[in-house]
Amino acid sequence: MATTRAYALALAVALAASAASLANGFVYDDLWVIRDNPQVHSLHDPGALLTAPLWPATYRTNAYRPASTLAFALDWAIGGGGPAAFHATNVALHLLVVALVLALASRLLPAGAGGGEGGALVAALWFAVQPVHVEAVANGVGLSELLAAAAYLAALLAYLGDGDAAQAGRHDSRRGLLTLGTLVAGAVAYGAKESAITLPGTLLLADLWLAWTAGRPLGERFRRHWLLWLGVVVLAVGYLAARAHALGPDFGGGVVALGLEGKSLVQRALIMAPAVLVWLRWMIWPLHLSADYLPAVFVPSARLGLPQLAGLVAVGFLAWAAWAARRRRPGITVGIVFAAVTASIAANVIVPTGVILAERLAYLPSVGAAFVVGAVWESLPRGRYLWAATAVALALLAGRMLLRIGVWHDETRFVRALEVDAPNSCRTHWARGDLAFKQGARGTGESEMQLAIRICPDDPELIQEMGKRYLDAGLYTPADRYLTTAYRLDSLRSSAAVLAVLARVRGGHPDSALALGAEAVRRFPQSPEMLGSTEQAYLAAGRPREALALAHRLVYLDPGAWLFQQVAAYAEAVNGRCDAARARLERAVALAPEEKEPRNLLAQLSSGSGCGIARR
């Protein structure tokens, strides 16, 4: 086991390498998932937090992470909506993961790697200063990766402890705590990130491995506490059921990364084969890092070319290395297998996900790389300069990590870094355009986003963003064109349909707005935004009765929403139902006494045509 001094050193180095992120603000996905996402701005309804998707309701999502969503809400409450609490949590979680890596490496490496704690300590130190971890540590939404990794490793450690107790025939309170710890940590891991679904496989392999290294029958250790493993599996099934309820039965939530749509398992394997080389470069030579790798940086291709062959050769070499090292350097075998299992979801071969390549996805799998580093270090010849050379290498990695953390300080620095790291990426031009719009340079913003769309012509999110910009500028014809295109590219993108209907209404085309709205309402009958925009289309088309019917459906969805009551009141007034309009406005005022608009409309209310309420 590692000494207290080893833990102190590993944690001190991890803190020194990551503390600079405490000064960072909200950048990139933080803006949508945290800063502009009202669902994580309150703890009043924890049940809703645990059943809601990670992304706001206006986004189509492939992420259901209730533990992360709840953690975001807690950080928001603690920090008053500022970024400091989020970054402090991320640093604390990173330190916890480093400690867990040291604990696991101390357990796994000595058996075939020299018997000392040096290799385990080097593994933890390498993990603490690995620059590829910056995207997870220095970015607010990286909490999902950190929390999942911490819970995943804690569950593995507790499970190993329970297996030891089971072999010793103990049934005391300590074993009960280990059992409880395994299940609680497993539940948190599942709720933090989808990739944690590999936990049952890791636990089973750990039992088989420890039995093999002890020279015992492979199934002996597992049989002694199989019921606990089954409990972890039941938790996984429960998580998948909850996820299906929140997002739909498809594991990817219906969102597939550009380049993976409609591809078979073999085609996805060919597309992802070159990514193995990128992952290896991250671990071995993390000099060039980027927040985006698509499409000009990493081009998805299902053809068998040189990059695919090189990637497949790398996979074959890693498999051979794991097999060849199993007796003399078992830490290498453990590390490669751990990395392969924990990266299997992000690999997009078993199931396609919404991301092809991202540095944050390497956080948990790189624990396996740390084991390999520790095992290789243990095999090096001892000499007076070994620790000095190790310190220099770690210092260089730490320096690269510190430089990289500054990229995530604010939006301006982030965009500048993207321009250097991935100048031809559509994400780079999108980010530049978004920043230009925020700075009031609409012409530059438009040209940058148009260039991004030419690079990624099938990205519905990007096309929708361009349409929204036109809508905000009052350019309704191009807004309609882009928003409708986004909806046609992704028929489950309800937010694009909502905005397209509004663009047609405001552009003076109520009939076409009504046609699109009626179609979308049939597809999204429970979407308040869709019902509201289509209700406006009915009113604009001179069909107030149908508008009133939709307004009633809107109120039925949430009778306690004052805005829905106000929308229904207006529809009642247009239909000449002044008493009903008055009752709804009084209800709206009671629900939101601080809002001025329902009180003003109530004061306008009279009898006669339209009940005296000005047309919206």
Side-chain angles (χ1 to χ4, degrees):
M1 298 297 291
T3 63
T4 302
R5 185 173 61 179
Y7 279 105
L9 177 59
L11 293 176
V13 170
L15 180 60
S18 61
S21 65
L22 295 173
N24 287 358
F26 290 133
V27 177
Y28 204 39
D29 287 345
D30 292 352
L31 305 180
W32 299 282
V33 177
I34 299 174
R35 192 195 68 180
D36 300 333
N37 184 6
Q39 74 180 16
V40 301
H41 294 175
S42 173
L43 286 169
H44 293 315
D45 190 356
L49 291 171
L50 294 176
T51 57
L54 178 73
W55 287 79
T58 53
Y59 288 78
R60 189 172 167 227
T61 174
N62 67 338
Y64 171 65
R65 303 170 189 169
S68 297
T69 303
L70 182 59
F72 289 143
L74 285 169
D75 277 344
W76 186 273
I78 292 170
F86 292 87
H87 293 298
T89 298
N90 281 13
V91 170
L93 285 171
H94 181 55
L95 265 62
L96 175 58
V97 174
V98 169
L100 292 169
V101 170
L102 179 54
L104 273 170
S106 299
R107 171 79 188 259
L108 297 173
L109 294 184
E117 76 170 13
L121 178 58
V122 169
L125 291 172
W126 178 90
F127 186 89
V129 299
Q130 170 53 247
V132 80
H133 294 162
V134 169
E135 185 173 344
V137 176
N139 190 218
V141 297
L143 178 145
S144 293
E145 308 291 341
L146 301 165
L147 183 59
Y152 196 103
L153 299 181
L156 177 55
L157 272 170
Y159 183 82
L160 293 177
D162 182 80
D164 294 341
Q167 281 199 309
R170 295 204 309 270
H171 298 281
D172 53 11
S173 59
R174 183 177 183 276
R175 187 180 176 192
L177 289 175
L178 289 170
T179 298
L180 179 63
T182 302
L183 295 175
V184 171
V188 173
Y190 296 144
K193 188 72 188 286
E194 294 84 352
S195 55
I197 204 70
T198 60
L199 180 59
T202 297
L203 300 184
L204 178 59
L205 288 173
D207 272 339
L208 297 177
W209 173 259
L210 291 175
W212 180 79
T213 55
R216 297 178 178 275
L218 291 182
E220 180 188 26
R221 182 183 173 93
F222 175 73
R223 284 195 298 270
R224 293 180 182 274
H225 65 159
W226 68 270
L227 196 58
L228 175 57
W229 181 84
L230 183 60
V232 176
V233 172
V234 170
L235 286 175
V237 173
Y239 163 75
L240 291 176
R243 189 178 193 279
H245 178 74
L247 304 179
D250 180 21
F251 187 82
V255 178
V256 177
L258 292 175
L260 296 177
E261 311 97 321
K263 299 296 189 296
S264 66
L265 186 145
V266 173
Q267 290 174 318
R268 293 198 300 270
L270 289 173
I271 290 171
M272 295 303 301
V276 177
L277 303 175
V278 179
W279 281 59
L280 288 174
R281 177 173 60 79
W282 288 343
M283 299 299 108
I284 300 170
W285 191 255
L287 187 61
H288 176 77
L289 299 172
S290 175
D292 186 54
Y293 287 85
L294 295 175
V297 182
F298 180 88
V299 181
S301 174
R303 296 180 178 178
L304 184 60
L306 186 59
Q308 285 71 27
L309 288 173
L312 293 173
V313 168
V315 171
F317 172 78
L318 290 172
W320 171 84
W323 178 260
R326 69 190 187 283
R327 297 189 184 279
R328 298 186 61 188
R329 298 285 180 260
I332 293 176
T333 303
V334 169
I336 293 175
V337 172
F338 183 93
V341 172
T342 53
S344 59
I345 301 299
N348 289 299
V349 177
I350 299 173
V351 60
T353 70
V355 180
I356 286 185
L357 201 59
E359 291 165 12
R360 63 185 180 274
L361 303 180
Y363 190 80
L364 179 58
S366 67
V367 173
F371 295 158
V372 173
V373 169
V376 170
W377 188 91
E378 281 284 3
S379 68
L380 296 176
R382 293 299 180 265
R384 60 187 301 183
Y385 300 113
L386 178 59
W387 272 109
T390 301
V392 170
L394 292 171
L396 291 173
L397 289 174
R400 179 70 181 110
M401 184 173 184
L402 286 169
L403 288 174
R404 190 65 188 168
I405 284 175
V407 167
W408 300 86
H409 184 272
D410 56 64
E411 201 170 355
T412 301
R413 289 194 198 178
F414 177 76
V415 172
R416 289 174 180 170
L418 262 184
E419 292 173 340
V420 174
D421 299 335
N424 297 318
S425 164
C426 59
R427 180 70 64 174
T428 299
H429 292 289
W430 184 356
R432 291 177 64 181
D434 183 61
L435 184 60
F437 273 115
K438 290 177 180 177
Q439 295 174 344
R442 291 187 175 182
T444 301
E446 179 184 14
S447 62
E448 287 291 342
M449 285 197 173
Q450 291 284 10
L451 181 54
I453 291 172
R454 286 197 291 273
I455 297 172
C456 297
D458 297 323
D459 188 338
E461 186 176 358
L462 176 54
I463 294 171
Q464 178 178 334
E465 181 66 21
M466 187 72 260
K468 186 176 183 300
R469 296 291 181 179
Y470 281 131
L471 182 62
D472 293 341
L475 301 172
Y476 301 124
T477 298
D480 173 26
R481 183 170 66 252
Y482 279 89
L483 292 166
T484 302
T485 299
Y487 177 57
R488 297 308 180 196
L489 283 172
D490 182 356
S491 61
L492 295 180
R493 186 170 286 272
S494 62
S495 55
V498 169
L499 296 176
V501 170
L502 292 178
R504 294 182 183 190
V505 169
R506 296 173 187 176
H509 302 285
D511 291 335
S512 64
L514 185 54
L516 178 59
E519 171 198 328
V521 164
R522 288 192 295 271
R523 182 178 290 272
F524 309 104
Q526 303 298 314
S527 168
E529 295 81 10
M530 198 70 257
L531 292 172
S533 64
T534 306
E535 183 259 355
Q536 291 189 38
Y538 273 116
L539 289 175
R543 299 170 63 175
R545 290 187 179 181
E546 290 91 337
L548 181 59
L550 284 188
H552 284 172
R553 287 173 60 181
L554 199 60
V555 171
Y556 178 78
L557 289 178
D558 188 356
W562 71 268
L563 184 58
F564 295 173
Q565 294 287 349
Q566 179 177 295
V567 169
Y570 184 83
E572 301 278 14
V574 171
N575 280 273
R577 297 160 56 93
C578 303
D579 291 340
R582 182 180 302 278
R584 292 196 179 279
L585 286 174
E586 290 174 347
R587 174 66 173 158
V589 171
L591 289 169
E594 73 285 354
E595 296 290 339
K596 295 181 179 180
E597 189 175 1
R599 291 204 305 273
N600 292 338
L601 290 175
L602 187 60
Q604 295 176 22
L605 201 62
S606 63
S607 59
S609 176
C611 305
I613 294 180
R615 185 175 180 83
R616 283 188 294 176

